[in-house]
Amino acid sequence: MKLNIDDWKEFYLKNLYKIVMGNKFDKNKMTEDDPSVNFVSRVSYNNGVDTKVDYVEDVDPFDAGLVTVALGGSYLGSCFVQEEPFYTGQNVAVLKSVSDQMTFGVNIFISGLVRYESKMKYYAFGRELNTHINRDFSIKLPIQHNDDGTPLIDDSNKYSDEGYVPDWKWMENYIESLHYKPLITHNKSGQVPNLDVNKWEEFIVGKVFECSTTALSIKDELDEGDIPFISRTAENNGCDGYVNVSCEKITKGNCITIGAEGIYSFYQEDRFATGNKVYTLRCSLMNKYVALFLCSILNLEDYRYSYGRARVKSKLEKEIIKLPIQRNLDGTPYIDDTKKYSDEGYVPDWKFMENYIKALPYGDRV
């Protein structure tokens, strides 16, 4: 199905959903002795689910099927339909559909538009959604028509002041046309190795990785093609489209990329081209599982680059991160006399990182 947005009309989000604030729980104060409830925070990955936490006494989780929106932070506007009951962190709104015709597919369709409008109207201008989500946040949607092709008008003006009615069926059919099927996993949460970070050690990024700059290409000067163009965006795995570019401008894959202003790290499995100030991190034992683990660690450093600070190569190389380390059979740290990775001789436990990612729910689908 083709998207022809010329005839779409504008709808306020407050007319499509009942919008409430989430639990405002602090993840660091949540317990995880018997984690059974999804914890949704202001992240753009894993459907917004940051972790699982224990049930909070006298606080029922929000129902599955509701929509969550991050109201601030680097992932402002991250919007997802929750498939399981959940709690939320701070600055997350919860949306409940006002119509029974707003199916899971319809909510998936709308959530994509919320993310797009948030990026275009708010994130780009440093604005948060707190004061807008329940007031003037709007999206354009396809509308229902009469048999003669004229717009169907609802005299009650339930969804818009002009009486337009969103075409729920068209939106649902569009999502179904994408042949979307939920991912399934054979991994269980109980098989995930324990993360005992108290036994981890510090490493300097520039000593663990080979940090390099990449060949600059100007996207607007390139034709469309099949080479991923990695820019300083913090979304879509850093990919800002696909281009046709000369061989000398192509960077080989199996590395981590970080954009100076984007600040977030992503794993690039295949070859790619880059825009300005995009850096790569490489190490000899890197694979996609190890890289995904490392990206999560590197992205915990985002707070260092708030207020517009760029994550330039010279700063990146000096960052200190904590990683699991290899140990001897008696549990003592294995020490590498060459001190390749740290001045103390600690060696990152690459195998643990790989096995941890593989053991996660959906880790078998990576």
Side-chain angles (χ1 to χ4, degrees):
M1 297 175 65
K2 187 175 180 180
L3 287 174
N4 182 5
I5 65 174
D6 293 340
D7 295 329
W8 291 15
K9 301 299 180 182
E10 196 166 29
F11 294 86
Y12 288 117
L13 210 59
K14 64 181 181 180
N15 292 335
L16 304 175
Y17 295 93
K18 178 183 178 181
I19 304 172
V20 299
M21 294 301 103
N23 303 109
K24 301 181 180 180
F25 287 147
D26 184 342
K27 185 180 75 169
N28 295 325
K29 296 180 180 178
M30 305 294 285
T31 58
E32 299 180 12
D33 298 324
D34 183 25
S36 57
V37 183
N38 285 349
F39 185 84
V40 177
S41 67
R42 294 172 295 170
V43 298
S44 66
Y45 49 85
N46 197 34
N47 212 55
V49 178
D50 198 339
T51 186
K52 279 185 177 289
V53 297
D54 296 336
Y55 177 83
V56 178
E57 187 175 359
D58 298 328
V59 181
D60 290 331
F62 287 102
D63 294 332
L66 301 183
V67 179
T68 57
V69 182
L71 301 179
S74 299
Y75 294 125
L76 177 145
S78 291
C79 184
F80 301 100
V81 185
Q82 299 304 321
E83 300 182 59
E84 298 179 13
F86 62 96
Y87 294 126
T88 80
Q90 300 179 31
N91 224 11
V92 176
V94 179
L95 284 57
K96 182 177 181 180
S97 309
V98 299
S99 171
D100 292 338
Q101 297 182 70
M102 296 173 70
T103 61
F104 180 83
V106 170
N107 285 327
I108 288 288
F109 187 96
I110 291 177
S111 66
L113 294 174
V114 171
R115 288 194 292 272
Y116 176 79
E117 292 297 329
S118 298
K119 178 180 178 181
M120 300 303 294
K121 294 181 180 179
Y122 298 94
Y123 181 80
F125 299 98
R127 302 155 65 192
E128 297 204 342
L129 297 183
N130 306 66
T131 58
H132 299 280
I133 191 77
N134 220 339
R135 188 178 68 188
D136 56 7
F137 189 102
S138 64
I139 56 176
K140 282 192 171 183
L141 296 174
I143 62 170
Q144 297 183 35
H145 290 81
N146 299 308
D147 293 338
D148 62 2
T150 58
L152 174 68
I153 301 299
D154 169 27
D155 293 335
S156 69
N157 296 342
K158 179 178 180 179
Y159 303 108
S160 78
D161 292 341
E162 296 79 11
Y164 298 125
V165 180
D167 195 338
W168 315 117
K169 193 62 179 177
W170 191 95
M171 289 184 262
E172 183 175 6
N173 289 341
Y174 180 82
I175 294 299
E176 290 181 355
S177 74
L178 301 177
H179 304 293
Y180 163 79
K181 290 184 178 180
L183 287 175
I184 58 174
T185 179
H186 298 293
N187 291 354
K188 305 299 180 183
S189 58
Q191 70 188 56
V192 180
N194 182 42
L195 286 176
D196 189 356
V197 297
N198 293 322
K199 294 183 179 180
W200 294 14
E201 298 295 343
E202 292 184 340
F203 294 85
I204 299 174
V205 168
K207 198 168 178 67
V208 176
F209 302 98
E210 176 190 348
C211 305
S212 304
T213 57
T214 55
L216 166 64
S217 296
I218 307 300
K219 183 186 175 189
D220 291 344
E221 298 177 357
L222 301 174
D223 296 328
E224 290 188 9
D226 58 0
I227 302 296
F229 186 84
I230 307 302
S231 70
R232 290 171 289 175
T233 178
E235 299 180 339
N236 198 31
N237 208 59
C239 183
D240 194 23
Y242 292 83
V243 298
N244 184 18
V245 66
S246 57
C247 292
E248 65 271 14
K249 296 286 189 177
I250 294 178
T251 301
K252 66 179 181 180
N254 192 35
C255 65
I256 291 171
T257 56
I258 297 180
E261 282 78 24
I263 76 176
Y264 290 100
S265 62
F266 302 101
Y267 174 64
Q268 308 301 334
E269 185 169 15
D270 302 315
R271 60 181 187 157
F272 56 93
T274 63
N276 192 29
K277 294 183 181 178
V278 177
Y279 313 114
T280 60
L281 302 182
R282 299 181 187 274
C283 61
S284 59
L285 294 175
M286 183 177 292
N287 58 39
K288 61 183 177 182
Y289 303 103
V290 171
L292 291 173
F293 188 100
L294 292 169
C295 283
S296 297
I297 302 300
L298 289 163
N299 288 338
L300 292 175
E301 302 299 306
D302 64 341
Y303 70 94
R304 300 181 185 275
Y305 301 97
S306 56
Y307 306 106
R309 299 188 185 99
R311 199 175 195 178
V312 296
K313 180 173 175 286
S314 59
K315 294 180 180 179
L316 176 61
E317 290 176 319
K318 296 176 182 177
E319 285 183 22
I320 296 176
I321 57 175
K322 294 190 75 173
L323 296 173
I325 62 170
Q326 295 182 29
R327 293 181 176 274
N328 300 311
L329 293 178
D330 62 0
T332 58
Y334 169 76
I335 300 299
D336 170 25
D337 293 334
T338 68
K339 299 183 178 180
K340 178 179 180 180
Y341 299 107
S342 79
D343 292 339
E344 294 78 15
Y346 299 128
V347 179
D349 193 341
W350 311 109
K351 197 62 181 177
F352 174 87
M353 299 182 215
E354 179 175 348
N355 289 339
Y356 183 85
I357 295 298
K358 286 182 176 179
L360 291 172
Y362 303 100
D364 54 337
R365 302 303 302 271
V366 173

